[in-house]
């Protein structure tokens, strides 16, 4: 009887130190219930998008939708900022993940900088900047407000409001 490290053949033709030979076969079972379809957005890291795909958010600030998850209440987008400045006071209702493709940014109350190639995580309920007196909110930005902005923008630039449907899950 050979040890587990020998190369003796097994009944499926593989040796003891190799994976069994298997053919690539797509999943054949029933899809899971209530699971959305896959979403693939090609070339998302290319910053040479057609200008019409960037949705205006504020002066010199645009976003490029990647995902609007209306069933779980979150969105994923690229954010393009073309000027220096101070971000208005805001609070996050969910976690924020930010990967910096180009440039850098920071918050006044933190000593860290998110620089090109870095990733920042902000936990839910983060309020920024915390040194400002809290006032009455001027608005709420969530998956539904982002979706409405994108629909209106794409209709205005000739892509049609249904252009965003590809990003909705």
């Amino acid at each position: 009887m050979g040890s587990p490290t020998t190369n003796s053949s097994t009944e499926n033709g593989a040796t003891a130190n190799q994976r069994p030979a298997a053919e690539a076969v797509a999943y054949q079972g029933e899809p899971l219930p209530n699971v959305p379809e896959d979403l693939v957005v090609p070339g998302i890291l290319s910053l040479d998008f057609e200008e019409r795909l960037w949705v205006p958010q504020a002066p010199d600030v645009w976003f490029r939708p990647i995902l609007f998850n209306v069933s779980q209440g979150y969105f994923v987008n690229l954010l393009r900022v073309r000027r220096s400045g101070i971000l208005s006071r805001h609070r996050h209702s969910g976690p924020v993940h930010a990967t910096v493709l180009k440039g850098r940014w920071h918050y006044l109350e933190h000593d860290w900088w998110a620089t090109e190639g870095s990733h920042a995580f902000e936990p839910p309920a983060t309020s920024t900047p915390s040194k400002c007196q809290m006032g009455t909110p001027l608005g709420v930005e969530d998956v539904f407000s982002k979706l409405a902005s994108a629909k209106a923008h794409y209709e205005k630039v000739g892509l049609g409001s249904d252009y965003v449907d590809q990003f909705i899950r």
Side-chain angles (χ1 to χ4, degrees), residues 11-156:
E11 70 182 63
N12 65 4
T15 61
N17 293 333
Q18 296 175 333
R19 296 181 71 167
E23 293 182 33
V25 176
Y27 176 72
Q28 301 294 313
E30 291 292 319
L32 294 173
N34 305 314
V35 174
E37 292 183 22
D38 294 347
L39 172 64
V40 176
V41 182
I44 201 66
L45 293 181
S46 170
L47 298 180
D48 296 328
F49 289 113
E50 180 183 346
E51 272 309 303
R52 296 185 305 165
L53 302 182
W54 291 96
V55 179
Q57 181 169 309
D60 296 319
V61 179
W62 300 262
F63 71 91
R64 166 72 167 93
I66 298 173
L67 171 71
F68 292 116
N69 192 311
V70 296
S71 62
Q72 295 181 4
Y74 69 89
F75 59 90
V76 179
N77 62 227
L78 291 176
L79 189 64
R80 180 173 72 180
V81 180
R82 290 267 170 97
R83 66 176 168 90
S84 296
I86 296 176
L87 186 62
S88 61
R89 181 180 18 208
H90 65 280
R91 174 180 277 180
H92 301 291
S93 61
V96 172
H97 293 268
T99 301
V100 182
L101 302 179
K102 192 172 182 179
R104 65 188 187 138
W105 61 274
H106 78 287
Y107 291 125
L108 298 174
E109 63 276 350
H110 297 294
D111 59 1
W112 56 262
W113 280 80
T115 58
E116 194 167 314
S118 65
H119 180 83
F121 167 74
E122 300 175 52
T126 301
S127 182
T128 305
S130 59
K131 293 180 182 176
C132 295
Q133 256 184 351
M134 296 303 286
T136 304
L138 299 176
V140 174
E141 183 179 84
D142 61 14
V143 65
F144 303 105
S145 64
K146 297 288 265 193
L147 180 56
S149 294
K151 280 182 178 264
H153 170 73
Y154 292 139
E155 184 67 31
K156 180 180 175 182

